[in-house]
Amino acid sequence: MTSVNSEKLSSARFAQATDAFVEVFTASVDFDQRMAHQDIQGSIAHATMLCACGILTVPERDAIISGLTQIGKEISNGEFVWSIKQEDVHMNIEARLTDMIGVAGKKLHTGRSRNDQVATDIRLYLRSEIVQITAQLTRLQTAILNLAEQHADTIMPGFTHLQVAQPITFGHHLMAWFEMLRRDRERLDDCAKRINVMPLGAAALAGTSYPIDRFMTAELLGFSRPSANSLDSVSDRDFAIEFAAVASLIMMHLSRFSEELILWSSAQFDFIDMPDAFCTGSSIMPQKKNPDVPELVRGKSGRVTGHLVALLMLMKSQPLAYNKDNQEDKEPLFDTADTLINCLRAYADMVPHITAKKANMYTAAKRGFATATDLADYLVRKGMAFRDAHEVVGLAVRLGLETQRDLSELTLAELQGFSVLVTEDVFAYLTLEGSVAARRHIGGTAPETVKAAIQSARQILGNA
Ligand code: ARG
């Protein structure tokens, strides 16, 4: 039987063909074809389960599986013809299957709906993206550890308020970045657990009257379990929002690294040399070498956070269960994963080639009276109250500023002029080396502590 609108989905219900613009406006195939292989994977598992439950015959199942496998190849080869008329990735594949194998193709959709199908596809897609993200994270973490190892005793100024605060080691600073990524990775692993739950079987919203085996489909697809509530399964995208939140945090961290690399490679700081291959020149100023990669990554962090907010807004007013609004989840989600993978990759490629200008870092730490706290601590150990010591050291710093000398360059007599508690041993505390070496408790900046932190980080990474 044919009708005027024979091409339309659920055509029998409609007396009118879809408005031409509405057809384009509501279609998602241009972007959701990205999930074609996940869609095929899900359909093969679904057909396998339907057959095991006696809902499809073995020949029907086999025809479906070989048809879908063939379609997968056509898609990979770029031979598959996508059609707006078929609206989305799911209908395009199903229509092609029916063209290929006839009536068995029409039976594939038994006991499911596009609502549980699309929710499954997104979860499968995110699962494989997370594998790639984790691989890039590991590369970057390893690069950071290697650089930290080279610089476990390289002294630099540590900052608060972007003012020189206390001397630290560059290795310690790098290990702070490592810690941020370590937590990011834990968050990603945790989010992957909630992604790895299977919606198939929820059908449109209420489940299905066929005697299906959801445990079997879940197992075939490597999900940890079938979802517990059909309405929830087809409607909530919280797992995608959570993924975008994790991605935003990683990008926020990359943005902070970027900011530091940009500052440090400026002539004003001059702490590091960025590899030429990751910088570009200016079209007008011949002397320029711009840190483009960190700048772009910093910029892209805004874009990923934007996607997180878009997904939250998309979800927040939807009544149960599925609504077409959810079709809008794909583009922000795809772009989030792509952007994150690219930024991590650029960083993992770049970090091994960053060189530290040790002498400049050292001089900057000296110029900033970075050991002032060490002098105060010294006086406290000799019996002075901390507030008084703070005051006394303030006077010593002022003398240093006026005479353009670091605290370690003041004479013993000058220091004794501020407090009779000062003796010859004070100089051991005023050097940058002495200051960092004294902070040898767990989490501190002493070279030996940093080396131990790197050691245990390597173990954590190896076991991850
Ligand atoms: N393209 C749709 C989406 O992305 C698939 C689900 C359509 N379901 C429906 N009842 N219209 O959400």
Side-chain angles (χ1 to χ4, degrees):
M1 193 179 71
T2 51
S3 66
V4 262
N5 46 352
S6 60
E7 305 238 50
K8 188 165 176 159
L9 291 180
S10 347
S11 57
R13 161 74 176 77
F14 291 88
Q16 274 183 349
T18 310
D19 175 89
F21 176 69
V22 169
E23 192 168 75
V24 175
F25 184 68
T26 53
S28 55
V29 65
D30 280 351
F31 49 85
D32 67 14
Q33 56 180 264
R34 173 115 188 224
M35 302 188 303
H37 292 290
Q38 286 84 7
D39 198 66
I40 289 172
Q41 192 190 353
S43 291
I44 289 178
H46 179 65
T48 307
M49 178 280 291
L50 288 180
C51 177
C53 296
I55 304 163
L56 287 180
T57 64
V58 171
E60 284 168 342
R61 177 200 64 190
D62 292 347
I64 288 173
I65 294 179
S66 73
L68 286 171
T69 309
Q70 182 57 33
I71 290 172
K73 287 185 191 141
E74 290 177 3
I75 292 168
S76 300
N77 298 339
E79 288 162 10
F80 190 89
V81 184
W82 298 100
S83 161
I84 284 277
K85 290 243 174 284
Q86 294 299 339
E87 195 179 312
D88 57 24
V89 61
H90 324 291
M91 295 311 301
N92 268 269
I93 292 176
E94 192 185 316
R96 174 78 186 118
L97 181 68
T98 303
D99 277 353
M100 276 170 98
I101 67 167
V103 72
K106 295 187 185 178
K107 296 190 178 182
L108 171 62
H109 213 50
T110 311
R112 77 172 184 190
S113 146
R114 279 185 296 158
N115 297 351
D116 56 347
Q117 189 178 352
V118 70
T120 305
D121 291 1
I122 302 171
R123 286 170 185 266
L124 289 172
Y125 159 81
L126 283 178
R127 217 169 67 179
S128 71
E129 295 299 297
I130 286 176
V131 172
Q132 292 183 55
I133 294 165
T134 305
Q136 294 300 340
L137 263 175
T138 307
R139 287 185 62 226
L140 175 55
Q141 286 180 294
T142 308
I144 290 173
L145 285 181
N146 293 341
L147 197 60
E149 199 147 59
Q150 287 170 41
H151 294 290
D153 45 22
T154 300
I155 289 175
M156 69 178 286
F159 297 87
T160 59
H161 313 271
L162 203 56
Q163 312 284 324
V164 171
Q166 291 179 340
I168 56 169
T169 49
F170 186 39
H172 193 54
H173 194 113
L174 291 166
M175 288 305 288
W177 293 358
F178 180 90
E179 286 299 313
M180 296 176 212
L181 294 178
R182 173 168 147 183
R183 290 191 297 278
D184 287 334
R185 214 182 148 118
E186 285 172 8
R187 274 186 279 267
L188 200 58
D189 288 348
D190 202 49
C191 148
K193 286 183 210 152
R194 280 177 288 280
I195 287 174
N196 205 28
V197 172
M198 190 201 65
L200 277 179
L205 77 162
T208 174
S209 56
Y210 296 98
I212 58 169
D213 181 352
R214 298 190 65 215
F215 285 95
M216 181 179 180
T217 325
E219 198 182 323
L220 288 170
L221 291 171
F223 283 112
S224 62
R225 61 177 173 87
S227 55
N229 180 289
S230 63
L231 296 177
D232 177 46
S233 325
V234 292
S235 67
D236 208 339
R237 295 289 182 265
D238 59 352
F239 64 93
I241 296 172
E242 198 178 341
F243 171 80
V246 174
S248 299
L249 281 170
I250 301 175
M251 288 300 298
M252 177 275 289
H253 283 149
L254 291 184
S255 178
R256 296 188 68 197
F257 304 169
S258 298
E259 177 69 6
E260 295 198 320
L261 295 179
I262 293 161
L263 285 171
W264 293 348
S265 59
S266 70
Q268 288 65 33
F269 274 82
D270 204 17
F271 283 2
I272 57 167
D273 208 8
M274 291 287 283
D276 282 2
F278 294 82
C279 298
T280 58
S282 154
S283 58
I284 171 167
M285 296 164 284
Q287 85 285 10
K288 289 296 286 290
K289 174 173 158 185
N290 298 326
D292 284 33
V293 169
E295 286 176 283
L296 256 183
V297 168
R298 187 178 56 186
K300 285 177 190 288
S301 69
R303 167 172 167 166
V304 171
T305 304
H307 293 326
L308 166 64
V309 176
L311 290 171
L312 280 166
M313 293 305 106
L314 168 68
M315 198 76 246
K316 78 173 183 60
S317 301
Q318 291 189 45
L320 289 171
Y322 175 86
N323 302 281
K324 184 80 165 177
D325 311 41
N326 280 344
Q327 183 164 292
E328 285 289 301
D329 64 356
K330 319 258 170 341
E331 289 156 294
L333 210 49
F334 296 160
D335 190 65
T336 296
D338 292 346
T339 306
L340 180 59
I341 291 171
N342 289 339
C343 292
L344 284 169
R345 181 192 159 162
Y347 255 72
D349 289 347
M350 178 180 74
V351 167
H353 305 290
I354 294 174
T355 46
K357 296 186 169 177
K358 293 188 188 188
N360 294 353
M361 288 180 166
Y362 193 87
T363 311
K366 257 195 143 167
R367 258 203 322 264
F369 298 98
T371 57
T373 314
D374 296 271
L375 180 55
D377 289 345
Y378 170 87
L379 292 169
V380 168
R381 273 196 299 275
K382 297 250 165 160
M384 193 180 281
F386 183 79
R387 265 302 142 235
D388 294 333
H390 190 277
E391 193 64 22
V392 163
V393 178
L395 295 171
V397 167
R398 195 197 295 177
L399 175 64
L401 280 171
E402 283 162 7
T403 58
Q404 296 200 5
R405 284 174 301 160
D406 178 50
L407 291 177
S408 63
E409 290 159 352
L410 299 182
T411 65
L412 181 61
E414 281 170 327
L415 288 168
Q416 283 171 334
F418 295 114
S419 167
V420 291
L421 295 174
V422 175
T423 53
E424 182 64 43
D425 64 347
V426 73
F427 293 103
Y429 298 91
L430 294 185
T431 63
L432 300 176
E433 289 79 1
S435 171
V436 294
R439 290 162 168 80
R440 63 172 72 87
H441 53 77
I442 183 161
T445 193
E448 62 183 88
T449 313
V450 172
K451 282 176 197 153
I454 295 168
Q455 202 61 27
S456 86
R458 281 204 196 280
Q459 237 149 37
I460 290 162
L461 208 53
N463 297 334

